[in-house]
Amino acid sequence: MKLSWTLRLRSHSHPHPHPHPHPHLLPPSNKPLHIHNHIHTRSLFTKPTPKPHHDPLRILFCGSEDFSIASLRALHQEHLHSPSTIASIDVVCRPPKRVGRGLKQKREVPIEAEARSLSLPIHEIDTFRDWTPPPTRDDHPINLVIAVSFGLFVPPRILYAAKYGGLNVHPSMLPDFRGPAPLHNALLAGAKKTGVTLQTLHPERFDQGTILAQTPWPGFDIPNPHTCTVKQLLDYVSPKGAELLIHGLRERLFLPPVRDMGWYTQSSSQSQNPSDGVTIRTAPKITKEDSHIDWTLWSAKEILRRNLVLGPLWSFAPLRENLPSHTAASLKRRIIFEDISVVEREDEGLGLGNLDVPVGVPYVFVDTRDGGSQAVLVNTVDRRLVVVERIKVEGERATGARGASLKARLFKQPREGDRDGGECLTFYDQLV
């Protein structure tokens, strides 16, 4: 289904008494705009003002992974279809990183292979310091910068040197989920809807540009939000972001004067404001700590959600009882949960009985007749049970959870359970 975005005709009056040499790089206007339900409202007024023409675009495209690859492919197709509109595309990406044992292998960013397959000029840079875009193949200067999921901040001198400034495609309903990891954070927050945004590149801050076009409020549905992975959401939003970018170029939305067309700005003057009760969320960079389970706070649902979005989760297992939280690393082992599920604690099939093991303390039942369950069990704060089938103890290979825990000597002396012919083994203390 063809996408549509909320658009408004824009005033030709400049809000500043002294015109800026690059007015499209100024921060967004705070002047509220009338909200409406029209899509592509070029006929909102009886006599719309035509957009001026522009020079053939010579684009410096800055990207990295799949979300930016979709936009690059769309730009290349537009270039082939209309070379008078897009005359050239140069690609900027980060240089390959050394990975693997001994850092002997190099791994290039995915967009570099895509640019190579499209026969586009490639510039590898790790910083913009002391770097200036070279002339294009036809010996013209770059006149538009487009950054999509790039990671480096494009400095003002690069933006000001480009006649038409810079554009960015962001996979969220800005200002909601402003930041470097909008897809991860949307799924972690349990969002049911999201969108894509076309904005100008701000000369001083990430994701603070003027919104030129955006998915209409409240956004489109996230497919299967309770089970959607980052990869699935990325595959879903990438073509929508690419289509929005091409739409913005065809409509020449980047030409000044520009006004903020975002849902949040447009709704600010309404008596029935769609932003009422809406909390604007941020999208900080995902770190290893986001996968570090807090057994004192995280519910079973939160643990499953983070495992789905972030991959394997981890905790520290104490090697003695009653250790303080700041215990030296030599007295605890980092364990990674490779395969987890959640069940109710009363599930007798797992042989739990009424044993009251503290929250966050892994345990197993060992039956002297049949060897017992191979899983390690952990009770959660909401009285549910995390079942761990495989773990990886730091420095060891991933293997069955019970066997790996026994080998690493993570269990303390056995205590009597409430089943005949069995015993319960628990870790020394709560995971931290």
Side-chain angles (χ1 to χ4, degrees), residues 308-371:
L308 178 71
V309 175
L310 303 178
L313 308 179
W314 63 277
S315 290
F316 284 114
L319 300 180
R320 299 288 186 276
E321 291 186 84
N322 303 317
L323 291 176
S325 58
H326 60 275
T327 297
S330 61
L331 296 179
K332 57 188 178 183
R333 299 291 295 276
R334 183 170 177 261
I335 58 175
I336 301 171
F337 305 96
E338 297 274 327
D339 184 3
I340 67 174
S341 58
V342 170
V343 298
E344 300 297 332
R345 291 181 68 183
E346 293 75 15
D347 187 344
E348 294 291 339
L350 290 171
L352 299 183
N354 295 317
L355 186 66
D356 190 16
V357 177
V359 168
V361 178
Y363 62 99
V364 295
F365 283 104
V366 180
D367 194 300
T368 57
R369 294 164 298 181
D370 60 13

Side-chain angles (χ1 to χ4, degrees), residues 52-291:
H53 292 285
H54 58 77
D55 298 339
L57 297 178
R58 292 174 172 84
I59 296 172
L60 184 70
F61 185 89
C62 310
S64 59
E65 37 77 353
D66 289 349
F67 186 68
S68 52
I69 286 175
S71 292
L72 179 61
R73 287 173 178 167
L75 285 173
H76 186 255
Q77 287 298 314
E78 189 73 1
H79 161 65
L80 296 178
H81 176 73
S82 180
S84 62
T85 301
I86 299 180
S88 66
I89 305 170
D90 283 45
V91 176
V92 170
C93 62
R94 309 287 288 273
K97 291 186 177 181
R98 292 191 175 274
V99 297
R101 180 171 296 181
L103 301 179
K104 295 180 180 179
Q105 297 178 338
K106 286 186 176 182
R107 179 183 298 166
E108 66 181 19
V109 292
I111 202 167
E112 184 163 4
E114 183 67 26
R116 192 181 303 115
S117 71
L118 300 175
S119 301
L120 299 176
I122 300 172
H123 311 281
E124 293 181 356
I125 64 170
D126 220 2
T127 176
F128 280 101
R129 181 176 298 176
D130 300 326
W131 186 84
T132 299
T136 62
R137 285 174 174 172
D138 58 357
D139 202 31
H140 285 81
I142 294 293
N143 59 16
L144 177 65
V145 180
I146 298 178
V148 182
S149 188
F150 182 45
L152 288 181
F153 184 78
V154 182
R157 67 176 179 83
I158 301 291
L159 296 178
Y160 293 149
K163 180 176 181 178
Y164 301 119
L167 298 175
N168 167 256
V169 183
H170 189 82
S172 83
M173 295 288 290
L174 287 175
D176 201 20
F177 292 115
R178 172 184 287 148
L183 300 184
H184 291 79
N185 283 279
L187 293 176
L188 289 176
K192 303 296 190 299
K193 292 180 179 292
T194 189
V196 289
T197 299
L198 177 65
Q199 62 174 335
T200 62
L201 284 174
H202 195 283
E204 298 175 0
R205 296 182 297 275
F206 281 111
D207 299 332
Q208 299 275 359
T210 302
I211 295 176
L212 305 179
Q214 189 172 55
T215 306
W217 175 262
F220 48 74
D221 292 333
I222 293 177
N224 305 311
H226 298 295
T227 59
C228 187
T229 66
V230 174
K231 178 64 166 61
Q232 291 168 339
L233 185 56
L234 178 65
D235 291 343
Y236 189 67
V237 303
S238 293
K240 297 178 186 295
E243 187 174 347
L244 180 60
L245 173 60
I246 298 304
H247 166 80
L249 295 182
R250 289 176 178 175
E251 295 293 322
R252 305 190 288 278
L253 301 181
F254 55 92
L255 296 179
V258 296
R259 293 286 301 277
D260 195 325
M261 301 297 152
W263 68 272
Y264 196 76
T265 300
Q266 293 189 43
S267 66
S268 61
S269 63
Q270 300 303 298
S271 58
Q272 294 183 342
N273 191 337
S275 65
D276 287 346
V278 175
T279 300
I280 299 300
R281 297 156 290 189
T282 59
K285 181 180 179 180
I286 298 298
T287 69
K288 187 168 70 173
E289 276 302 307
D290 292 306
S291 302

Side-chain angles (χ1 to χ4, degrees), residues 25-60:
L25 298 180
L26 291 169
S29 169
N30 293 323
K31 184 177 179 180
L33 300 178
H34 178 66
I35 193 168
H36 56 86
N37 296 322
H38 292 79
I39 306 300
H40 294 301
T41 51
R42 284 171 289 189
S43 59
L44 184 62
F45 302 104
T46 56
K47 189 176 181 181
T49 304
K51 297 290 291 185
H53 292 285
H54 58 77
D55 298 339
L57 297 178
R58 292 174 172 84
I59 296 172
L60 184 70

